[in-house]
Structure formats: C-alpha cells, structure tokens
Amino acid sequence: MKYRPDIDGLRALAVIPVVLYHVGVPGFVGGFVGVDIFFVISGYLICGMTDADVRNGSFSLSNFYKRRILRILPALTVMLLAASVLAYLYFLPVELEDFAKSLAAAVGSVSNVYFAQTTGYFEAPAETKPLLHTWSLGVEEQFYLVVPIVMMIAYRFVPKRAKLLFAVAAAFSFVAAIAVSYRNEAFIFYLTPFRAWELALGALLAIGFFPAPQSMFWRNLCGAAGLVLLLGVIVFGSSSAPLLLMTSLAAVGATLVIASSERGVSMVGRLLSLRPFVFVGLISYSLYLWHWPLIVFQHTDAILALGSPATVKLTLVILSVGMAYLSWKLIELPFRSLARETSKFAVFATASTAMASILAVCGLVMVAGGAPFRFPDRVVQIGSYLAYDSASAFRTGRCFLLTNRQQFDAETCVKRDPERTNYLLVGDSYAAHLWYGLSTALPDVNVMQATASLCRPAAKGGSRYDTPMCRRLRDFIFNDFLAHNKVDKVLLAASWKDEDLPVLEGTLEILKAKGLDVTVLGPVVEYDSALPRLLVDEILHDDPAAASHMKRAGVRERDEAMSRLVAAHGATYVSLYDAMCHDGRCDEVVEGGVPIQFDGGHLTMQGSVEVGKRLAPFFIRKLARTANGSN
C-alpha cells in the first residue's frame, strides 16, 4: 500500500485526545475513543496489506509476525523495563506484585484479558496501574494472531465469498458486544471478540467491501462527516455514556475519514497531511506507550516535584512527547530498518529470550512477595490493606451483590428474628460496610442486609446507577418484602452524592406514607486516593497531614444538607461524618494501627466495628425509648 500522510495525521487525532484526556485537560471528556480510531487504522493498514499479499500468493505468515515483532516489541520492551525500574523504586509490595502480574500479561500479549478479569468495583483505580494501556496492544496482537490465517483459508476455499465472510464475522462481533454489554461492560471494553468489529471496519474498507467515494464532492462530504463525528464524540462524549455508542461513533468517523482519501485526497485528508499532524502521527505509538506510565507514577508517587496542577499537566505532556520522540528516533526507526536484513530466526530467538527473561523477573517478584525488604515493617503492614478482601465482612455474593450474575439470598440476609428487634439495612457498598460493625455493636438487634454495588436505596429508582441488579433488589425490598414483613426500623445508607438528595427525598415520602420508621446514615469521609497509600506517604515523606490534604471536598457540606432534608421529612438522621471526625480531623486508624478504610472510603472490618461502637449509644437510646413506650 502506498504511504498516506493523512493516515499519520489521523493517528495524531487519535493519540492527542487520549493523552489530554488521561492528563486531565478540560475539553476532552471523550478522548478515550482515540483507541478506537487506532483500531480502525490498524485494521485498514494491516489487513489491507495482508489481503493484497494473500491474493497474489506472496503472503508469508512468518514474515508477517517478524514485521509485527519489529514494529511492536522493541519500543514496548524499553517502556516496560523503565516502568519496572520505577515500580521497584516506588511501589509497595502488594502494588509491585500486581505490577508483576500485569507485566507478565503485557509481555504475553494478554493484558486485555488480565485487566478484564481484575477490573472490579473494589479493585485499585486505573490511575495506579502503569501498564493498563497495554490492553489495546493485546487486542490488536490477538486479532492479528487469527485474522491472517482466516484470510488465507477463506481465499483458498471460498475466494468469491471471502469478503462477505469477513463482513459477517464483523457483524457477529458487534452483535455479541451488544448482547454482552448488558451483563459485563468490562468484557466489551477489554476483550478482543467484542472489539474485533472495529478493526474489521478498517479491514473491510481496505479490501473493498465498502465502496470508497469517487467524486470530489462525495470525498469531501465523507471526510467532513467523519471529522465532525470524531470531534463531536471527543469533545462532547462522556465516560458515563454507553460504551458502544461512543466506540461506534468513533469507529464510523475514523472509517469515513480514511475512506474520504481512498480515491483521491479530500479536504480533510489535506488538513491531516499537514506536517505537525504527520509528525505527531509518526511518534504516536511511542507517545501512547510512554504517556500513561508517566501519569500513573506522578499520580501515585509525585515523581515530579512541581507546583500547580496545571504545571504538572503541562510538564507531563511535554515529557511524554519528548520520550516519544526519542523512542521513535532511537528505537522504532532503527529496528524497522532491520526488517529486510535480519533473519526470521534471529528476530524470533531474540524476542523469545527477552520475553522469557521478563517473565522470569515477574516470577521472582511473586516469589519474593513484592520485595517487602525495601520498606519499613510498619509501611508494609499498612500497605497490605491495599489488597484488602472485603468479601467476608460485606457478605459479598449473598447479601451484597457485586455483579448481575449473583443472586440475593433472602433466607440469609432478610430473615426476621421474632426474639429480637429487626432493622433492615438497605443501600450500596457504603451500606454493606456498616453491617458487620452494627451487628457487632448491637447484639440485641437483628440487622438484616439488602445491599448491591452502586445501588442507592431509592424506593422508585431515579439514580443514574439504576442497574438491572439494583432494580431487582429494589423491587423485592420495597414492593415485596416490606409489604409483607414488619420491621422495626429501615436504615438507608449509601455513597451519597448531591444528585441523590432529590431521590432520597422521594424515598422518605414513600416510606413515611407506609408508616415505616426510617433512619438515614449519612456519608463517610472520603479521600481522593486509597487511605492506606496516604498513610504510607505520611510515614515515608514525614508528612502527618498527607491524608487530611486529600480529603474529598464537599462531604461535610453534604452531610449538613442531608441532616436538614431528613429532619424536614420526619425521619431520623445519623451523621457518620461526625462519628469519624472531630476537632477538624478525621480518624485514619483504629485499634492496632489498622487503617479505618481500605480504599478511598470503604471501612475495613475493624473500622466498621469502631464506627458501630460509636453509633451504638444512639440506637440503644432509641431501643430504650421504644421499650419504655411499649410498657
């Protein structure tokens, strides 16, 4: 295929929004779709060249993989080694173990599978995973592990129907993504079968299944429509929008832009062929590789001691571009020039040796338990809570539903006790983390639990987190269980946000009309990073206020607003913020030096017990008044 500078320009349009979105520059809320643009470009170029070679009989599978290795692996390996050094210097043992697992997955081109399996509500946030971005490389390499073989077989046995076969496969991938999106959005984000349709769009254009516009008018219209789609989804899109909507708009837009210059350069093609766009496109692979690890290590360890957030963002962008240029000039170009003069055996042997060496290092890290000898014992102890398992305390999978596949165990979770007072705790994970502490502190109360991830205790819905799992649980509790079972008190708890207050108000009115005694438990103090990480920073950097400076803004004000709202509706309000904070400072550890929270907000088991003890006097007084009233 002849060189097209406009496609390098399109690469720039893909990578720039990704970098600016990740750095946090305003105006690029949909910038993550740059990866989808890359997928379409890759499908167009690689499958187009493969298709031509297969049809004229010159295709060699070994040569194909040799070129892919020389294109992908050298720059990737250098980035992985640099990230590994930084991880060893800065990461706590549990973080280094996670890094080693992701490193092994990246080397094996299966990091997309690894991150699909380890992505969850209680997993460490994306900003702590320096190799998270390698998931897209895993998708591409898995796609190209299969597609050339499929193309050879198709052209060998059904040459006249090969293009139609590829189109059917692409359609099947898209339909499968739609079907799975209702059950597990992480799968359609990370896994190749549900992303293959994007690469296939570019491939179908390259092999001529989609007709390219011929006249100047249609070329310009096609290019303009594609550019508008891309800019629209980048600027006005959102991570909260349906993922398939975002990826579809980006993939179609990229396909239209490429098609617009297929039979002659369109106006958009000329624009994208300008030298600044082409330059960024040429370094786009290395820029994609380097920007994310720099952002992660800055976020977790502040490796750049700079001033304002704006200065940090600008420096990260400049540093990323600088590293990308050096990587392109000193690694990508020299290794590409080896494609003709280096034997396949040498390429495969060198690649295999490098991969085996990295995998061996990953194994050593795991055997060494993350090399805890690098830090003081107290730091290692606190840092271990970054891998805290909340399943037992939350009763995950029975009384706290984390996925749509889990079924609520009503017999265990909401079984009334005729010998004790019965309270029903309803809400999301911020309700679930209170169950253990309340049950321990109130032995005379049967604390029943009906909780689900992100599920606000809304009697009639209305929350933006209104998932099918949440709706099933909500309908059972509010329309079935409470209608047929007497409870002494309903406890509503959640990770309350300002947008939840109107929904809470409606719920209080509904429950009051049913004659139910309702107590609302307010928001807990939250942090912008995991509390154990902040406590470690307090020790390592001798900064006793590190956690205090990272308290999430607005929680105290929300707590006060909720108190007024609940009182106005005749219900009872309990401030968890006041239970955890006093004299302007919030408790960070409990007895034994255990962090009170294991991430940015959820209580550890010991933290739940401590909060339960502090809330117990309030409920005991209520119980005493109820008993006196009944006498």
Side-chain angles (χ1 to χ4, degrees), residues 411-433:
E411 182 63 24
T412 299
C413 307
V414 291
K415 185 176 182 179
R416 294 179 67 258
D417 186 343
E419 305 298 324
R420 293 190 292 170
T421 302
N422 291 280
Y423 288 180
L424 175 61
L425 175 64
V426 186
D428 59 15
S429 58
Y430 282 77
H433 74 173

mmCIF file with all atom_site columns, all heavy atoms in Angstrom, residues 411-433:
data_model
loop_
_atom_site.group_PDB
_atom_site.id
_atom_site.type_symbol
_atom_site.label_atom_id
_atom_site.label_alt_id
_atom_site.label_comp_id
_atom_site.label_asym_id
_atom_site.label_entity_id
_atom_site.label_seq_id
_atom_site.pdbx_PDB_ins_code
_atom_site.Cartn_x
_atom_site.Cartn_y
_atom_site.Cartn_z
_atom_site.occupancy
_atom_site.B_iso_or_equiv
_atom_site.pdbx_formal_charge
_atom_site.auth_seq_id
_atom_site.auth_comp_id
_atom_site.auth_asym_id
_atom_site.auth_atom_id
_atom_site.pdbx_PDB_model_num
ATOM 1   N N   . GLU A 1 411 ? -33.152 -15.717 52.369 1.00 0.00 ? 411 GLU A N   1
ATOM 2   C CA  . GLU A 1 411 ? -33.258 -16.553 53.564 1.00 0.00 ? 411 GLU A CA  1
ATOM 3   C C   . GLU A 1 411 ? -32.177 -16.203 54.576 1.00 0.00 ? 411 GLU A C   1
ATOM 4   O O   . GLU A 1 411 ? -32.398 -16.216 55.785 1.00 0.00 ? 411 GLU A O   1
ATOM 5   C CB  . GLU A 1 411 ? -33.156 -18.037 53.172 1.00 0.00 ? 411 GLU A CB  1
ATOM 6   C CG  . GLU A 1 411 ? -33.290 -19.010 54.331 1.00 0.00 ? 411 GLU A CG  1
ATOM 7   C CD  . GLU A 1 411 ? -34.650 -18.947 55.019 1.00 0.00 ? 411 GLU A CD  1
ATOM 8   O OE1 . GLU A 1 411 ? -35.625 -18.516 54.379 1.00 0.00 ? 411 GLU A OE1 1
ATOM 9   O OE2 . GLU A 1 411 ? -34.706 -19.303 56.216 1.00 0.00 ? 411 GLU A OE2 1
ATOM 10  N N   . THR A 1 412 ? -30.997 -15.855 54.098 1.00 0.00 ? 412 THR A N   1
ATOM 11  C CA  . THR A 1 412 ? -29.888 -15.487 54.984 1.00 0.00 ? 412 THR A CA  1
ATOM 12  C C   . THR A 1 412 ? -29.933 -14.024 55.371 1.00 0.00 ? 412 THR A C   1
ATOM 13  O O   . THR A 1 412 ? -29.703 -13.667 56.533 1.00 0.00 ? 412 THR A O   1
ATOM 14  C CB  . THR A 1 412 ? -28.543 -15.785 54.303 1.00 0.00 ? 412 THR A CB  1
ATOM 15  O OG1 . THR A 1 412 ? -28.442 -17.173 54.026 1.00 0.00 ? 412 THR A OG1 1
ATOM 16  C CG2 . THR A 1 412 ? -27.370 -15.350 55.176 1.00 0.00 ? 412 THR A CG2 1
ATOM 17  N N   . CYS A 1 413 ? -30.250 -13.162 54.423 1.00 0.00 ? 413 CYS A N   1
ATOM 18  C CA  . CYS A 1 413 ? -29.988 -11.728 54.585 1.00 0.00 ? 413 CYS A CA  1
ATOM 19  C C   . CYS A 1 413 ? -31.148 -10.945 55.200 1.00 0.00 ? 413 CYS A C   1
ATOM 20  O O   . CYS A 1 413 ? -30.921 -9.933  55.867 1.00 0.00 ? 413 CYS A O   1
ATOM 21  C CB  . CYS A 1 413 ? -29.616 -11.119 53.236 1.00 0.00 ? 413 CYS A CB  1
ATOM 22  S SG  . CYS A 1 413 ? -28.269 -11.990 52.417 1.00 0.00 ? 413 CYS A SG  1
ATOM 23  N N   . VAL A 1 414 ? -32.382 -11.361 54.955 1.00 0.00 ? 414 VAL A N   1
ATOM 24  C CA  . VAL A 1 414 ? -33.515 -10.587 55.463 1.00 0.00 ? 414 VAL A CA  1
ATOM 25  C C   . VAL A 1 414 ? -34.487 -11.490 56.248 1.00 0.00 ? 414 VAL A C   1
ATOM 26  O O   . VAL A 1 414 ? -35.703 -11.304 56.190 1.00 0.00 ? 414 VAL A O   1
ATOM 27  C CB  . VAL A 1 414 ? -34.251 -9.841  54.324 1.00 0.00 ? 414 VAL A CB  1
ATOM 28  C CG1 . VAL A 1 414 ? -33.386 -8.734  53.757 1.00 0.00 ? 414 VAL A CG1 1
ATOM 29  C CG2 . VAL A 1 414 ? -34.670 -10.802 53.219 1.00 0.00 ? 414 VAL A CG2 1
ATOM 30  N N   . LYS A 1 415 ? -33.933 -12.444 56.948 1.00 0.00 ? 415 LYS A N   1
ATOM 31  C CA  . LYS A 1 415 ? -34.763 -13.322 57.772 1.00 0.00 ? 415 LYS A CA  1
ATOM 32  C C   . LYS A 1 415 ? -35.029 -12.646 59.120 1.00 0.00 ? 415 LYS A C   1
ATOM 33  O O   . LYS A 1 415 ? -34.112 -12.315 59.860 1.00 0.00 ? 415 LYS A O   1
ATOM 34  C CB  . LYS A 1 415 ? -34.069 -14.663 57.996 1.00 0.00 ? 415 LYS A CB  1
ATOM 35  C CG  . LYS A 1 415 ? -34.928 -15.664 58.740 1.00 0.00 ? 415 LYS A CG  1
ATOM 36  C CD  . LYS A 1 415 ? -34.227 -17.012 58.853 1.00 0.00 ? 415 LYS A CD  1
ATOM 37  C CE  . LYS A 1 415 ? -35.110 -18.023 59.564 1.00 0.00 ? 415 LYS A CE  1
ATOM 38  N NZ  . LYS A 1 415 ? -34.444 -19.356 59.672 1.00 0.00 ? 415 LYS A NZ  1
ATOM 39  N N   . ARG A 1 416 ? -36.293 -12.425 59.434 1.00 0.00 ? 416 ARG A N   1
ATOM 40  C CA  . ARG A 1 416 ? -36.664 -11.783 60.690 1.00 0.00 ? 416 ARG A CA  1
ATOM 41  C C   . ARG A 1 416 ? -36.412 -12.703 61.874 1.00 0.00 ? 416 ARG A C   1
ATOM 42  O O   . ARG A 1 416 ? -36.504 -13.930 61.774 1.00 0.00 ? 416 ARG A O   1
ATOM 43  C CB  . ARG A 1 416 ? -38.140 -11.365 60.668 1.00 0.00 ? 416 ARG A CB  1
ATOM 44  C CG  . ARG A 1 416 ? -38.458 -10.278 59.652 1.00 0.00 ? 416 ARG A CG  1
ATOM 45  C CD  . ARG A 1 416 ? -39.929 -9.918  59.656 1.00 0.00 ? 416 ARG A CD  1
ATOM 46  N NE  . ARG A 1 416 ? -40.318 -9.269  60.902 1.00 0.00 ? 416 ARG A NE  1
ATOM 47  C CZ  . ARG A 1 416 ? -40.964 -9.843  61.908 1.00 0.00 ? 416 ARG A CZ  1
ATOM 48  N NH1 . ARG A 1 416 ? -41.313 -11.122 61.825 1.00 0.00 ? 416 ARG A NH1 1
ATOM 49  N NH2 . ARG A 1 416 ? -41.274 -9.180  62.995 1.00 0.00 ? 416 ARG A NH2 1
ATOM 50  N N   . ASP A 1 417 ? -36.087 -12.083 63.014 1.00 0.00 ? 417 ASP A N   1
ATOM 51  C CA  . ASP A 1 417 ? -35.866 -12.811 64.266 1.00 0.00 ? 417 ASP A CA  1
ATOM 52  C C   . ASP A 1 417 ? -36.974 -12.414 65.236 1.00 0.00 ? 417 ASP A C   1
ATOM 53  O O   . ASP A 1 417 ? -37.021 -11.261 65.688 1.00 0.00 ? 417 ASP A O   1
ATOM 54  C CB  . ASP A 1 417 ? -34.503 -12.460 64.844 1.00 0.00 ? 417 ASP A CB  1
ATOM 55  C CG  . ASP A 1 417 ? -34.144 -13.296 66.065 1.00 0.00 ? 417 ASP A CG  1
ATOM 56  O OD1 . ASP A 1 417 ? -35.059 -13.904 66.660 1.00 0.00 ? 417 ASP A OD1 1
ATOM 57  O OD2 . ASP A 1 417 ? -32.952 -13.325 66.444 1.00 0.00 ? 417 ASP A OD2 1
ATOM 58  N N   . PRO A 1 418 ? -37.875 -13.341 65.578 1.00 0.00 ? 418 PRO A N   1
ATOM 59  C CA  . PRO A 1 418 ? -39.003 -12.981 66.461 1.00 0.00 ? 418 PRO A CA  1
ATOM 60  C C   . PRO A 1 418 ? -38.572 -12.631 67.878 1.00 0.00 ? 418 PRO A C   1
ATOM 61  O O   . PRO A 1 418 ? -39.337 -12.030 68.629 1.00 0.00 ? 418 PRO A O   1
ATOM 62  C CB  . PRO A 1 418 ? -39.876 -14.241 66.434 1.00 0.00 ? 418 PRO A CB  1
ATOM 63  C CG  . PRO A 1 418 ? -38.952 -15.341 66.045 1.00 0.00 ? 418 PRO A CG  1
ATOM 64  C CD  . PRO A 1 418 ? -37.942 -14.736 65.138 1.00 0.00 ? 418 PRO A CD  1
ATOM 65  N N   . GLU A 1 419 ? -37.348 -12.983 68.259 1.00 0.00 ? 419 GLU A N   1
ATOM 66  C CA  . GLU A 1 419 ? -36.868 -12.738 69.620 1.00 0.00 ? 419 GLU A CA  1
ATOM 67  C C   . GLU A 1 419 ? -36.119 -11.412 69.765 1.00 0.00 ? 419 GLU A C   1
ATOM 68  O O   . GLU A 1 419 ? -35.777 -11.030 70.877 1.00 0.00 ? 419 GLU A O   1
ATOM 69  C CB  . GLU A 1 419 ? -35.935 -13.890 70.054 1.00 0.00 ? 419 GLU A CB  1
ATOM 70  C CG  . GLU A 1 419 ? -36.550 -15.273 69.952 1.00 0.00 ? 419 GLU A CG  1
ATOM 71  C CD  . GLU A 1 419 ? -37.768 -15.408 70.872 1.00 0.00 ? 419 GLU A CD  1
ATOM 72  O OE1 . GLU A 1 419 ? -37.740 -14.823 71.978 1.00 0.00 ? 419 GLU A OE1 1
ATOM 73  O OE2 . GLU A 1 419 ? -38.726 -16.087 70.471 1.00 0.00 ? 419 GLU A OE2 1
ATOM 74  N N   . ARG A 1 420 ? -35.832 -10.754 68.652 1.00 0.00 ? 420 ARG A N   1
ATOM 75  C CA  . ARG A 1 420 ? -35.044 -9.520  68.714 1.00 0.00 ? 420 ARG A CA  1
ATOM 76  C C   . ARG A 1 420 ? -35.700 -8.416  67.888 1.00 0.00 ? 420 ARG A C   1
ATOM 77  O O   . ARG A 1 420 ? -36.609 -8.669  67.091 1.00 0.00 ? 420 ARG A O   1
ATOM 78  C CB  . ARG A 1 420 ? -33.618 -9.770  68.193 1.00 0.00 ? 420 ARG A CB  1
ATOM 79  C CG  . ARG A 1 420 ? -32.774 -10.692 69.059 1.00 0.00 ? 420 ARG A CG  1
ATOM 80  C CD  . ARG A 1 420 ? -31.327 -10.675 68.597 1.00 0.00 ? 420 ARG A CD  1
ATOM 81  N NE  . ARG A 1 420 ? -31.139 -11.283 67.278 1.00 0.00 ? 420 ARG A NE  1
ATOM 82  C CZ  . ARG A 1 420 ? -30.010 -11.218 66.579 1.00 0.00 ? 420 ARG A CZ  1
ATOM 83  N NH1 . ARG A 1 420 ? -28.985 -10.529 67.057 1.00 0.00 ? 420 ARG A NH1 1
ATOM 84  N NH2 . ARG A 1 420 ? -29.921 -11.813 65.405 1.00 0.00 ? 420 ARG A NH2 1
ATOM 85  N N   . THR A 1 421 ? -35.215 -7.207  68.101 1.00 0.00 ? 421 THR A N   1
ATOM 86  C CA  . THR A 1 421 ? -35.618 -6.078  67.266 1.00 0.00 ? 421 THR A CA  1
ATOM 87  C C   . THR A 1 421 ? -35.022 -6.269  65.872 1.00 0.00 ? 421 THR A C   1
ATOM 88  O O   . THR A 1 421 ? -33.873 -6.685  65.735 1.00 0.00 ? 421 THR A O   1
ATOM 89  C CB  . THR A 1 421 ? -35.108 -4.763  67.867 1.00 0.00 ? 421 THR A CB  1
ATOM 90  O OG1 . THR A 1 421 ? -35.623 -4.619  69.194 1.00 0.00 ? 421 THR A OG1 1
ATOM 91  C CG2 . THR A 1 421 ? -35.534 -3.574  67.025 1.00 0.00 ? 421 THR A CG2 1
ATOM 92  N N   . ASN A 1 422 ? -35.800 -5.958  64.854 1.00 0.00 ? 422 ASN A N   1
ATOM 93  C CA  . ASN A 1 422 ? -35.361 -6.190  63.476 1.00 0.00 ? 422 ASN A CA  1
ATOM 94  C C   . ASN A 1 422 ? -35.149 -4.872  62.734 1.00 0.00 ? 422 ASN A C   1
ATOM 95  O O   . ASN A 1 422 ? -36.098 -4.092  62.578 1.00 0.00 ? 422 ASN A O   1
ATOM 96  C CB  . ASN A 1 422 ? -36.396 -7.039  62.726 1.00 0.00 ? 422 ASN A CB  1
ATOM 97  C CG  . ASN A 1 422 ? -36.457 -8.463  63.248 1.00 0.00 ? 422 ASN A CG  1
ATOM 98  O OD1 . ASN A 1 422 ? -35.631 -9.294  62.913 1.00 0.00 ? 422 ASN A OD1 1
ATOM 99  N ND2 . ASN A 1 422 ? -37.454 -8.741  64.096 1.00 0.00 ? 422 ASN A ND2 1
ATOM 100 N N   . TYR A 1 423 ? -33.899 -4.633  62.329 1.00 0.00 ? 423 TYR A N   1
ATOM 101 C CA  . TYR A 1 423 ? -33.564 -3.479  61.500 1.00 0.00 ? 423 TYR A CA  1
ATOM 102 C C   . TYR A 1 423 ? -33.236 -3.985  60.100 1.00 0.00 ? 423 TYR A C   1
ATOM 103 O O   . TYR A 1 423 ? -32.624 -5.046  59.936 1.00 0.00 ? 423 TYR A O   1
ATOM 104 C CB  . TYR A 1 423 ? -32.338 -2.740  62.038 1.00 0.00 ? 423 TYR A CB  1
ATOM 105 C CG  . TYR A 1 423 ? -32.547 -1.951  63.305 1.00 0.00 ? 423 TYR A CG  1
ATOM 106 C CD1 . TYR A 1 423 ? -31.489 -1.250  63.879 1.00 0.00 ? 423 TYR A CD1 1
ATOM 107 C CD2 . TYR A 1 423 ? -33.790 -1.881  63.933 1.00 0.00 ? 423 TYR A CD2 1
ATOM 108 C CE1 . TYR A 1 423 ? -31.650 -0.511  65.035 1.00 0.00 ? 423 TYR A CE1 1
ATOM 109 C CE2 . TYR A 1 423 ? -33.968 -1.144  65.093 1.00 0.00 ? 423 TYR A CE2 1
ATOM 110 C CZ  . TYR A 1 423 ? -32.893 -0.463  65.638 1.00 0.00 ? 423 TYR A CZ  1
ATOM 111 O OH  . TYR A 1 423 ? -33.062 0.256   66.795 1.00 0.00 ? 423 TYR A OH  1
ATOM 112 N N   . LEU A 1 424 ? -33.612 -3.222  59.080 1.00 0.00 ? 424 LEU A N   1
ATOM 113 C CA  . LEU A 1 424 ? -33.281 -3.560  57.700 1.00 0.00 ? 424 LEU A CA  1
ATOM 114 C C   . LEU A 1 424 ? -32.348 -2.500  57.130 1.00 0.00 ? 424 LEU A C   1
ATOM 115 O O   . LEU A 1 424 ? -32.722 -1.334  57.004 1.00 0.00 ? 424 LEU A O   1
ATOM 116 C CB  . LEU A 1 424 ? -34.553 -3.644  56.844 1.00 0.00 ? 424 LEU A CB  1
ATOM 117 C CG  . LEU A 1 424 ? -34.331 -3.887  55.343 1.00 0.00 ? 424 LEU A CG  1
ATOM 118 C CD1 . LEU A 1 424 ? -33.624 -5.214  55.102 1.00 0.00 ? 424 LEU A CD1 1
ATOM 119 C CD2 . LEU A 1 424 ? -35.662 -3.833  54.593 1.00 0.00 ? 424 LEU A CD2 1
ATOM 120 N N   . LEU A 1 425 ? -31.136 -2.915  56.800 1.00 0.00 ? 425 LEU A N   1
ATOM 121 C CA  . LEU A 1 425 ? -30.124 -2.022  56.227 1.00 0.00 ? 425 LEU A CA  1
ATOM 122 C C   . LEU A 1 425 ? -30.166 -2.145  54.701 1.00 0.00 ? 425 LEU A C   1
ATOM 123 O O   . LEU A 1 425 ? -29.961 -3.216  54.150 1.00 0.00 ? 425 LEU A O   1
ATOM 124 C CB  . LEU A 1 425 ? -28.738 -2.409  56.759 1.00 0.00 ? 425 LEU A CB  1
ATOM 125 C CG  . LEU A 1 425 ? -27.529 -1.670  56.181 1.00 0.00 ? 425 LEU A CG  1
ATOM 126 C CD1 . LEU A 1 425 ? -27.581 -0.179  56.532 1.00 0.00 ? 425 LEU A CD1 1
ATOM 127 C CD2 . LEU A 1 425 ? -26.233 -2.292  56.702 1.00 0.00 ? 425 LEU A CD2 1
ATOM 128 N N   . VAL A 1 426 ? -30.444 -1.021  54.021 1.00 0.00 ? 426 VAL A N   1
ATOM 129 C CA  . VAL A 1 426 ? -30.610 -1.018  52.565 1.00 0.00 ? 426 VAL A CA  1
ATOM 130 C C   . VAL A 1 426 ? -29.658 -0.001  51.949 1.00 0.00 ? 426 VAL A C   1
ATOM 131 O O   . VAL A 1 426 ? -29.510 1.111   52.468 1.00 0.00 ? 426 VAL A O   1
ATOM 132 C CB  . VAL A 1 426 ? -32.058 -0.666  52.165 1.00 0.00 ? 426 VAL A CB  1
ATOM 133 C CG1 . VAL A 1 426 ? -32.249 -0.812  50.659 1.00 0.00 ? 426 VAL A CG1 1
ATOM 134 C CG2 . VAL A 1 426 ? -33.060 -1.532  52.911 1.00 0.00 ? 426 VAL A CG2 1
ATOM 135 N N   . GLY A 1 427 ? -29.037 -0.386  50.842 1.00 0.00 ? 427 GLY A N   1
ATOM 136 C CA  . GLY A 1 427 ? -28.182 0.577   50.143 1.00 0.00 ? 427 GLY A CA  1
ATOM 137 C C   . GLY A 1 427 ? -27.121 -0.083  49.295 1.00 0.00 ? 427 GLY A C   1
ATOM 138 O O   . GLY A 1 427 ? -27.269 -1.218  48.860 1.00 0.00 ? 427 GLY A O   1
ATOM 139 N N   . ASP A 1 428 ? -26.038 0.643   49.083 1.00 0.00 ? 428 ASP A N   1
ATOM 140 C CA  . ASP A 1 428 ? -24.953 0.160   48.237 1.00 0.00 ? 428 ASP A CA  1
ATOM 141 C C   . ASP A 1 428 ? -23.806 -0.377  49.089 1.00 0.00 ? 428 ASP A C   1
ATOM 142 O O   . ASP A 1 428 ? -24.016 -0.773  50.238 1.00 0.00 ? 428 ASP A O   1
ATOM 143 C CB  . ASP A 1 428 ? -24.498 1.280   47.287 1.00 0.00 ? 428 ASP A CB  1
ATOM 144 C CG  . ASP A 1 428 ? -24.016 2.525   48.034 1.00 0.00 ? 428 ASP A CG  1
ATOM 145 O OD1 . ASP A 1 428 ? -23.760 2.440   49.260 1.00 0.00 ? 428 ASP A OD1 1
ATOM 146 O OD2 . ASP A 1 428 ? -23.892 3.594   47.394 1.00 0.00 ? 428 ASP A OD2 1
ATOM 147 N N   . SER A 1 429 ? -22.598 -0.369  48.557 1.00 0.00 ? 429 SER A N   1
ATOM 148 C CA  . SER A 1 429 ? -21.453 -0.897  49.308 1.00 0.00 ? 429 SER A CA  1
ATOM 149 C C   . SER A 1 429 ? -21.175 -0.083  50.561 1.00 0.00 ? 429 SER A C   1
ATOM 150 O O   . SER A 1 429 ? -20.599 -0.595  51.528 1.00 0.00 ? 429 SER A O   1
ATOM 151 C CB  . SER A 1 429 ? -20.210 -0.916  48.415 1.00 0.00 ? 429 SER A CB  1
ATOM 152 O OG  . SER A 1 429 ? -19.916 0.383   47.930 1.00 0.00 ? 429 SER A OG  1
ATOM 153 N N   . TYR A 1 430 ? -21.579 1.188   50.573 1.00 0.00 ? 430 TYR A N   1
ATOM 154 C CA  . TYR A 1 430 ? -21.379 2.023   51.755 1.00 0.00 ? 430 TYR A CA  1
ATOM 155 C C   . TYR A 1 430 ? -22.438 1.732   52.821 1.00 0.00 ? 430 TYR A C   1
ATOM 156 O O   . TYR A 1 430 ? -22.338 2.234   53.932 1.00 0.00 ? 430 TYR A O   1
ATOM 157 C CB  . TYR A 1 430 ? -21.379 3.501   51.364 1.00 0.00 ? 430 TYR A CB  1
ATOM 158 C CG  . TYR A 1 430 ? -20.064 3.931   50.758 1.00 0.00 ? 430 TYR A CG  1
ATOM 159 C CD1 . TYR A 1 430 ? -19.740 3.599   49.443 1.00 0.00 ? 430 TYR A CD1 1
ATOM 160 C CD2 . TYR A 1 430 ? -19.138 4.629   51.494 1.00 0.00 ? 430 TYR A CD2 1
ATOM 161 C CE1 . TYR A 1 430 ? -18.533 3.962   48.885 1.00 0.00 ? 430 TYR A CE1 1
ATOM 162 C CE2 . TYR A 1 430 ? -17.918 5.013   50.946 1.00 0.00 ? 430 TYR A CE2 1
ATOM 163 C CZ  . TYR A 1 430 ? -17.619 4.666   49.644 1.00 0.00 ? 430 TYR A CZ  1
ATOM 164 O OH  . TYR A 1 430 ? -16.404 5.025   49.103 1.00 0.00 ? 430 TYR A OH  1
ATOM 165 N N   . ALA A 1 431 ? -23.423 0.945   52.481 1.00 0.00 ? 431 ALA A N   1
ATOM 166 C CA  . ALA A 1 431 ? -24.303 0.351   53.484 1.00 0.00 ? 431 ALA A CA  1
ATOM 167 C C   . ALA A 1 431 ? -23.732 -0.988  53.924 1.00 0.00 ? 431 ALA A C   1
ATOM 168 O O   . ALA A 1 431 ? -23.691 -1.318  55.104 1.00 0.00 ? 431 ALA A O   1
ATOM 169 C CB  . ALA A 1 431 ? -25.714 0.173   52.916 1.00 0.00 ? 431 ALA A CB  1
ATOM 170 N N   . ALA A 1 432 ? -23.234 -1.760  52.949 1.00 0.00 ? 432 ALA A N   1
ATOM 171 C CA  . ALA A 1 432 ? -22.689 -3.084  53.261 1.00 0.00 ? 432 ALA A CA  1
ATOM 172 C C   . ALA A 1 432 ? -21.533 -3.000  54.237 1.00 0.00 ? 432 ALA A C   1
ATOM 173 O O   . ALA A 1 432 ? -21.378 -3.874  55.106 1.00 0.00 ? 432 ALA A O   1
ATOM 174 C CB  . ALA A 1 432 ? -22.246 -3.772  51.966 1.00 0.00 ? 432 ALA A CB  1
ATOM 175 N N   . HIS A 1 433 ? -20.697 -1.961  54.140 1.00 0.00 ? 433 HIS A N   1
ATOM 176 C CA  . HIS A 1 433 ? -19.535 -1.906  55.037 1.00 0.00 ? 433 HIS A CA  1
ATOM 177 C C   . HIS A 1 433 ? -19.925 -1.562  56.479 1.00 0.00 ? 433 HIS A C   1
ATOM 178 O O   . HIS A 1 433 ? -19.088 -1.656  57.384 1.00 0.00 ? 433 HIS A O   1
ATOM 179 C CB  . HIS A 1 433 ? -18.451 -0.957  54.495 1.00 0.00 ? 433 HIS A CB  1
ATOM 180 C CG  . HIS A 1 433 ? -18.757 0.510   54.611 1.00 0.00 ? 433 HIS A CG  1
ATOM 181 N ND1 . HIS A 1 433 ? -17.825 1.477   54.304 1.00 0.00 ? 433 HIS A ND1 1
ATOM 182 C CD2 . HIS A 1 433 ? -19.864 1.193   54.975 1.00 0.00 ? 433 HIS A CD2 1
ATOM 183 C CE1 . HIS A 1 433 ? -18.350 2.679   54.486 1.00 0.00 ? 433 HIS A CE1 1
ATOM 184 N NE2 . HIS A 1 433 ? -19.587 2.528   54.894 1.00 0.00 ? 433 HIS A NE2 1
#
